[in-house]
Amino acid sequence: PEECAVFHCRGCWTVLGDSLQLCGQEPAGLSVLICFKVTSDVTWEDSLLVGLEGSLLGCTYYLLTCQSCGLAVGFILYSSGSDLAYLRGLFCFFKDSIICYLLKSQMVIEASKVNFPAVTLKE
């Protein structure tokens, strides 16, 4: 595919996932890449965190970290209001914590500057 990318940790360049696993559009107020699967270098603890402000206010989630350097790279939503319910159980990478390597052009670019084709959970 034209727009394939590999997602790397901003802190240490460990591979965390790829664009073939993208499965949804980011909700308003959250700058995230939503994926079905991630690599084994993405870890999370069993303890839940509670969102105290912003778009995750009142939500509970597991924090995703890079196994290599410990950088917080995203979350798995456990409970939320109905507006974010479709994200529950999916891997959400913070765009600010991810660098993308675009395969076709062999370019490295900030995740926040990449526009991936629209994907919905139905697809």
Side-chain angles (χ1 to χ4, degrees):
E2 286 283 311
E3 320 225 349
C4 284
V6 177
F7 305 143
H8 295 266
C9 172
R10 174 182 291 283
C12 67
W13 287 82
T14 296
V15 173
L16 305 175
D18 62 58
S19 61
L20 296 177
Q21 303 305 320
L22 287 173
C23 64
Q25 295 303 300
E26 65 186 280
L30 279 175
S31 184
V32 294
L33 296 172
I34 305 160
C35 297
F36 276 121
K37 293 182 188 176
V38 296
T39 69
S40 60
D41 289 310
V42 178
T43 61
W44 59 94
E45 306 257 335
D46 285 337
S47 57
L48 286 166
L49 300 174
V50 177
L52 299 177
E53 61 186 20
S55 298
L56 294 179
L57 177 66
C59 297
T60 57
Y61 58 92
Y62 298 102
L63 187 65
L64 299 175
T65 57
C66 172
Q67 183 174 355
S68 297
C69 72
L71 180 70
V73 294
F75 62 90
I76 301 172
L77 199 58
Y78 180 77
S79 68
S80 68
S82 59
D83 58 331
L84 297 178
Y86 70 100
L87 293 179
R88 293 180 195 153
L90 298 173
F91 299 93
C92 299
F93 285 130
F94 300 130
K95 284 186 173 182
D96 290 347
S97 299
I98 303 296
I99 298 290
C100 295
Y101 176 75
L102 305 177
L103 297 178
K104 183 175 182 179
S105 63
Q106 299 179 357
M107 290 179 52
V108 175
I109 190 165
E110 302 279 334
S112 58
K113 296 181 181 172
V114 178
N115 291 318
F116 292 102
V119 177
T120 65
L121 292 174
K122 293 176 185 174
E123 294 177 10

